[in-house]
Amino acid sequence: MTALATAPAPADHRGRRPGPLLLGVRHHGPGSARGVLAALEATRPDAVLIEGPAEADGLVALAADPGLRPPVALLAHAVDDPGRAAFWPFAAFSPEWAALRWAVDRGVPVRFVDLPAAHTLAAADPSWGEAGDEDEFDGGARIDPLAELARAAGHEDPERWWEDVVELRGAAAPPGSHAPPDPPDARDPLAVFDPLAVFDALADAMAALRERHGDGGHPRDAVREAHMRLRLREARKEFGDAVAVVCGAWHVPALARRTTVTADRALLRGLPRVKTELTWVPWTHRRLARRSGYGAGIESPGWYAHLHSAPDRPVERWMTEVAGLLRGAGHPVSPAHVIEAVRLAEGLAALRGRPRPGLDETTDAVRAVLCDGSDVPLALVRDRLVVGDVLGEVPAAAPAVPLQRDLDRLQRSLRLKPRAEERELDLDLRGETDAARSRLLHRLRLLGVDWGEPAAGRAGTGTFRESWRLRWQPELHVRVAEAGVWGTTVEAAATARAASHARAADSLGEITALAERCLLGGLGDALPAVLGALADRAALDTDVAHLADALPALARSLRYGDVRGTDTGALADVAAGLAERICVGLPPACAHLDPDAAARMRARLETVHTAIGLLGPRTPDPTPEADPLPGPVGLPDRWAGVLRRLAGGERVAGEVRGRAARLLVDEGWNGGEETARLMGLALSPGAPAADAAAWTEGFVGGTGGGLLLVHDERLLALLDDWLARVPAEAFTDVLPLLRRTFGGYEPGVRRALGELVARGPGAAAPGSAAPVPGFADALDGARADAVLPLLHLVLGQEAPA
């Protein structure tokens, strides 16, 4: 800290010392940004050089466009491989952005001097962003310079030390603000004397670290620094020494080093290169956070943005923002709380010997005063304010691939503005705008641009409503660039990619899911290719499990396609064919299954049952003796026959038999007597205990099973009688399955079953003459009809005469 607080002799003409001005910074530091602005104002250079890809010179003019609002990033991607991309982010408080805006506002030429993205992307891993993260002052090097300096100053926490030395010094007003800056602190020689002092001190510190650790940076640092020196030489030839360079502090000693042009060019000779394109894209504070994986990440971008933007009284303004957030979330926070929190933060700073309250002090004060000591509301503050969801903006004039421009047009026309914060979007598919929004989101998902995800439990094609969870991430711009190879519009690209996926699909289920996604996205032009592949694969696939996995998606598409105005006629024949083959092949496929296979087959049985229920109306109930296969009967009726065959099959696994019996009961296809007969057979004394327990799990497990036992005491009596007869040596084996079966019931259902068992459900066993309280032998039609007038009134219907 002593080294950084030493002020050198005043500068000469216009505040400039001989030679180019090397301003070493910490990326995304508001203190560095203030220092850069002060240095540029004092020296007024004729050109500004900034660390960044050299090809970005052509994008400098856009910085003057009011539509370019940080946080933003330079995006570079390989033309032939858009997935190979890198970002160079800038926040409003980034020193590079401050230098860029200072120069553009004053008409001063700007040059980007880092290694061209053409070389960086050719050598980088294809995963996004890696190339742009290697050059950062706070973590990209093998050693952490910030930690080394903090350790030398006797501090264990590098972030806190840097905040004390740089970030918490007098907060100047932001560029363009008319608010006066804080008065200079007499204890701060940097605020009283030379604005270049901090940069000179950092340069000396970096030189000492590099000398001690042998230039222990990234292996490519030498190549990048050679290119920076060559660009600096070019600028000095054009502008003389009136040049300012803004770069990571780690690189300053290398730029000041005396080398030859020949030596620097030798380091660059033979580097691989790819053809690249660059543009500006929106960025977010959340992606600047270290927890996001960004190499130059900071712990608290929202806090740093506040320090940069608050012209005065940063702590008071911060506490006011926190109070507003907490009040909006329903927490009782008053102005008195804010005053006490500010006082506590200032007191903590004094006790800890800090120049001003930092993030630690304000956080402790917020927890104690505004959150009543709870970390639950504090987590909201950290997420929304300390990190934040600010999303930058880019003007329409910025270069973009055609697909991105079409997406921008659709977002504007559908009023779907990208936002960094997560939000819920409820759509009514009967409306033209909401239906178009749904199609767009589904098409983007098919292209791999996951801007939105269906909200669990509410989305789907089964209703007129659809729920989405939206959040725009900066890397989605790369995904859009990648998807640009499929077409120039969202619809054309999604159609082409769907057709390609259909040809390359490995399984029948994958193709049916693709067909459903095409219908959801309204991609009628893609359906012929998808349905052709579906028909070919379905004709060759003989595995009933694969057919069962494929049918539900087709059934949903057929049943609810009319909601979206999509023609699903071509899909009906394929779905009917799959259903017929399932009806034929399912009974043999359910024989001789082990417990795990039986559980999987039970799940398939349930999904197929739901799918067949969606495919069409049912003809009159078939008789138990009806053959499920021959004859011109409806598909649901044939399915009822399949369920009866499964429920009575001796070789069918117990869990599958039990679920088939349950489905027959739920649909009203089996009466009480037939159900009691099946249960009596499954739980007879001769049945193995494990098989009987599996049947019980299939029959009464899951939703509604407990209520079935509550309302039919005959079944409960059969189950109670079987449990009483299970041998002790077998009971311990079936107990886990029984516990899972009954443990899933609601507490009220378990209590009612307990009361019935305590009263003795055996009175309701078949053949018993004792009446069952609350139950009659047959339905009382008169009592049931008495409910109808009220039911019609509730439904708003006119009661029949």
Side-chain angles (χ1 to χ4, degrees):
M1 183 179 292
T2 303
L4 294 183
T6 302
D12 60 8
H13 174 63
R14 289 197 297 175
R16 185 191 302 131
R17 299 191 182 88
L21 180 63
L22 303 180
L23 303 177
V25 299
R26 183 193 188 190
H27 299 299
H28 316 308
S32 290
R34 289 194 301 269
V36 164
L37 288 176
L40 294 178
E41 280 295 326
T43 59
R44 297 298 179 100
D46 295 334
V48 175
L49 310 184
I50 299 175
E51 183 181 330
E55 301 97 330
D57 288 353
L59 300 174
V60 168
L62 282 172
D65 192 316
L68 187 66
R69 300 178 183 176
V72 292
L74 287 169
L75 165 62
H77 66 85
V79 174
D80 297 331
D81 182 11
R84 187 181 291 270
F87 295 98
W88 285 262
F90 300 86
F93 51 84
S94 299
E96 297 90 345
W97 179 259
L100 177 61
R101 287 305 306 264
W102 182 91
V104 169
D105 291 344
R106 290 160 180 77
V108 176
V110 176
R111 305 283 189 272
F112 284 96
V113 298
D114 205 348
L115 194 68
H119 297 310
T120 304
L121 295 179
D125 184 89
S127 60
W128 76 271
E130 290 297 320
D133 293 343
E134 295 165 352
D135 60 335
E136 309 302 356
F137 169 42
D138 48 312
R142 291 175 185 166
I143 64 168
D144 184 348
L146 198 64
E148 294 292 326
L149 293 177
R151 192 177 299 112
H155 287 252
E156 296 181 358
D157 187 345
E159 287 289 334
R160 180 169 175 174
W161 173 80
W162 180 263
E163 196 174 52
D164 285 348
V165 173
V166 177
E167 308 302 349
L168 294 182
R169 294 188 179 275
S177 172
H178 299 288
D182 285 355
D185 189 343
R187 299 170 297 173
D188 182 1
L190 299 183
V192 178
F193 301 109
D194 192 353
L196 306 182
V198 66
F199 299 106
D200 291 334
L202 276 174
D204 292 340
M206 292 299 115
L209 285 174
R210 293 184 70 133
E211 181 179 357
R212 177 178 179 181
H213 295 280
D215 281 354
H218 193 277
R220 268 185 286 177
D221 276 353
V223 177
R224 297 177 52 234
E225 289 162 354
H227 188 272
M228 291 183 195
R229 286 192 293 266
L230 290 174
R231 294 280 283 179
L232 177 56
R233 288 189 184 97
E234 295 173 3
R236 294 180 71 180
K237 286 181 180 179
E238 185 177 357
F239 302 103
D241 284 345
V243 174
V245 182
V246 180
C247 64
W250 179 258
H251 303 301
V252 169
L255 299 187
R257 184 180 304 158
R258 292 183 177 273
T259 62
T260 64
V261 174
T262 302
D264 286 341
R265 287 178 176 170
L267 289 172
L268 299 172
R269 189 174 298 119
L271 289 179
R273 64 182 300 124
V274 294
K275 187 178 180 181
T276 59
E277 291 181 350
L278 272 77
T279 187
W280 290 105
V281 296
W283 201 252
T284 67
H285 278 177
R286 194 170 298 277
R287 293 300 303 175
L288 284 171
R290 183 169 296 163
R291 69 185 71 175
S292 70
Y294 171 49
I298 51 181
E299 297 292 341
S300 48
W303 167 252
Y304 275 7
H306 173 78
L307 291 181
H308 174 76
S309 62
D312 60 350
R313 298 185 177 275
V315 178
E316 291 86 341
R317 293 175 182 273
W318 178 258
M319 293 299 182
T320 302
E321 288 186 37
V322 172
L325 174 66
L326 293 177
R327 279 198 295 268
H331 298 277
V333 178
S334 68
H337 286 95
V338 175
I339 295 172
E340 289 303 317
V342 171
R343 289 175 177 171
L344 178 57
E346 292 174 343
L348 289 173
L351 287 173
R352 296 169 181 175
R354 307 195 69 181
R356 292 170 184 248
L359 182 60
D360 289 344
E361 287 70 35
T362 56
T363 299
D364 290 344
V366 167
R367 178 192 290 110
V369 180
L370 304 184
C371 299
D372 294 326
S374 172
D375 282 340
V376 175
L378 186 64
L380 177 67
V381 175
R382 285 173 171 159
D383 182 69
R384 299 285 183 84
L385 294 182
V386 176
V387 176
D389 281 317
V390 178
L391 176 66
E393 295 183 10
V394 172
V401 297
L403 183 62
Q404 180 67 60
R405 294 198 178 280
D406 184 60
L407 176 57
D408 294 340
R409 177 187 63 81
L410 291 171
Q411 289 171 336
R412 289 192 299 271
S413 64
L414 297 177
R415 299 186 298 278
L416 271 181
K417 185 177 181 180
R419 297 180 184 174
E421 71 275 12
E422 186 176 284
R423 62 186 177 118
E424 294 283 342
L425 178 67
D426 292 325
L427 302 177
D428 185 341
L429 302 180
R430 294 168 294 183
E432 182 178 349
T433 299
D434 279 0
R437 289 172 173 175
S438 174
R439 288 193 295 269
L440 173 63
L441 293 172
H442 281 293
R443 289 171 181 177
L444 290 176
R445 279 174 57 82
L446 200 150
L447 289 171
V449 184
D450 294 329
W451 175 21
E453 293 185 359
R458 299 187 62 186
T461 57
T463 67
F464 287 106
R465 304 198 67 84
E466 197 174 63
S467 245
W468 290 83
R469 187 175 295 108
L470 301 182
R471 169 176 281 182
W472 185 266
Q473 300 283 8
E475 55 267 31
L476 293 180
H477 288 281
V478 177
R479 305 291 176 254
V480 173
E482 287 181 292
V485 301
W486 299 105
T488 57
T489 67
V490 175
E491 181 177 4
T495 298
R497 190 169 191 187
S500 176
H501 280 0
R503 291 189 293 267
D506 294 327
S507 67
L508 184 61
E510 188 177 346
I511 301 178
T512 55
L514 181 61
E516 182 181 23
R517 296 175 71 180
C518 288
L519 290 168
L520 294 175
L523 300 175
D525 292 341
L527 280 177
V530 175
L531 293 180
L534 177 59
D536 294 343
R537 184 60 60 89
L540 298 176
D541 201 327
T542 59
D543 192 326
V544 174
H546 294 169
L547 301 178
D549 292 338
L551 183 63
L554 297 182
R556 289 193 301 268
S557 301
L558 284 170
R559 177 63 179 84
Y560 298 108
D562 58 331
V563 175
R564 301 166 185 275
T566 306
D567 182 12
T568 59
L571 211 57
D573 292 340
V574 177
L578 285 181
E580 293 287 349
R581 294 173 61 191
I582 291 171
C583 287
V584 173
L586 190 60
C590 293
H592 305 298
L593 298 177
D594 62 34
D596 292 337
R600 292 191 295 269
M601 190 58 74
R602 167 193 165 177
R604 292 190 179 98
L605 185 68
E606 293 171 342
T607 58
V608 169
H609 177 76
T610 302
I612 288 179
L614 297 175
L615 287 178
R618 180 169 62 89
T619 57
D621 293 346
T623 62
E625 295 77 15
D627 190 334
L629 298 179
V633 294
L635 178 61
D637 297 335
R638 298 188 64 176
W639 176 246
V642 172
L643 291 178
R644 288 195 174 89
R645 180 178 294 184
L646 293 174
E650 296 182 358
R651 297 179 297 173
V652 178
E655 189 169 349
V656 177
R657 283 189 289 118
R659 181 51 59 171
R662 169 67 182 282
L663 294 176
L664 288 168
V665 172
D666 290 345
E667 294 293 337
W669 291 338
N670 266 1
E673 294 299 329
E674 176 63 16
T675 302
R677 186 186 72 82
L678 291 175
M679 192 173 195
L681 292 174
L683 305 182
S684 65
D691 190 61
W695 191 95
T696 302
E697 163 65 13
F699 185 73
V700 295
T703 305
L707 288 175
L708 182 64
L709 295 176
V710 169
H711 292 290
D712 195 333
E713 293 195 35
R714 292 174 300 176
L715 301 181
L716 180 59
L718 288 170
L719 183 60
D720 181 62
D721 182 62
W722 169 74
L723 280 173
R725 290 187 283 100
V726 173
E729 61 274 11
F731 187 78
T732 54
D733 295 331
V734 301
L735 181 59
L737 183 58
L738 293 174
R739 183 179 181 87
R740 185 180 69 184
T741 301
F742 295 101
Y745 295 162
E746 294 290 335
V749 174
R750 292 200 301 267
R751 182 172 58 253
L753 288 175
E755 293 172 353
L756 290 173
V757 171
R759 193 179 63 208
S768 174
V772 180
F775 288 86
D777 293 334
L779 179 68
D780 189 336
R783 294 183 62 189
D785 291 342
V787 181
L788 291 178
L790 178 60
L791 180 61
H792 288 296
L793 179 63
V794 171
L795 296 177
Q797 300 175 342
E798 184 176 350

